[in-house]
Amino acid sequence: MKRLSLYLLFAGAIPTFCHADVTTLPAEDRKALLEASRFHEVHSTKDLPPGVVVLCVDDKGRLADPGENWNATDAITDPTLPWKRLIWAAVGSDYYVVHYERGGIDHSFHILVAKLTKSDAKPRIVWHAVGHQLKDYAAFLEALRTEKLDDRLDYGH
């Protein structure tokens, strides 16, 4: 019984010691993202380069715009609807921050940061994390500053 109690104590304590949410965002990119004045929000996939949109689509290549119908749960009402929906995106010079949600049994909210320079043929994923729904870019910055986004696992985005 003592041994079981000890195991349970460690099982509960270890996650608190391992809490380090934003772990893989490079310092240079973090600095660029925190310069809020260089970013402006967009609310349509049409306002993003197709290569950036492709990084966020579902397995059938679809991403709904805000307000459009989509499959938010695993109870499929219309199989022609996408499984992902854009919430908002922000564009700042070479950076694209895309906040979208993924439906299904495990409804989740994602942030994807991509970089696309004029000399690049395709965008490069800089960073990806999950968290809660963020109202706008300012809320994203607050979540980034306060470590409210989790990038520790390779979440299917």
Side-chain angles (χ1 to χ4, degrees):
M1 188 64 171
K2 247 182 167 180
R3 192 171 275 182
L4 178 61
S5 297
L6 189 58
Y7 287 135
L8 291 174
L9 176 67
F10 280 118
I14 288 173
T16 61
F17 293 122
C18 298
H19 189 272
D21 289 338
V22 178
T23 59
T24 61
L25 178 61
E28 173 188 328
D29 297 313
R30 181 195 254 314
K31 183 179 176 186
L33 294 173
L34 290 172
E35 294 176 24
S37 63
R38 72 189 276 189
F39 287 87
H40 68 277
E41 284 186 36
V42 297
H43 298 276
S44 173
T45 56
K46 294 171 186 65
D47 296 325
L48 295 169
V52 172
V53 174
V54 165
L55 298 174
C56 305
V57 297
D58 66 12
D59 60 348
K60 293 186 178 160
R62 302 169 303 180
L63 179 66
D65 273 330
E68 290 184 347
N69 291 331
W70 68 298
N71 286 312
T73 69
D74 61 336
I76 301 170
T77 56
D78 184 347
T80 65
L81 295 176
W83 285 95
K84 295 182 179 182
R85 179 172 67 172
L86 176 69
I87 298 171
W88 54 261
V91 180
S93 64
D94 298 338
Y95 286 93
Y96 297 86
V97 179
V98 184
H99 184 39
Y100 62 94
E101 54 192 319
R102 183 174 148 209
I105 196 163
D106 185 24
H107 185 216
S108 54
F109 296 94
H110 298 254
I111 287 282
L112 179 115
V113 177
K115 194 169 185 181
L116 178 63
T117 64
K118 293 186 188 325
S119 62
D120 292 334
K122 296 188 317 184
R124 174 179 59 88
I125 295 177
V126 172
W127 185 68
H128 179 256
V130 296
H132 57 281
Q133 185 171 0
L134 303 168
K135 178 183 169 192
D136 52 24
Y137 192 75
F140 161 68
L141 292 179
E142 181 62 23
L144 186 60
R145 284 187 195 101
T146 58
E147 305 286 320
K148 301 288 187 204
L149 299 166
D150 187 351
D151 66 356
R152 293 174 291 170
L153 299 176
D154 185 21
Y155 296 97
H157 56 88

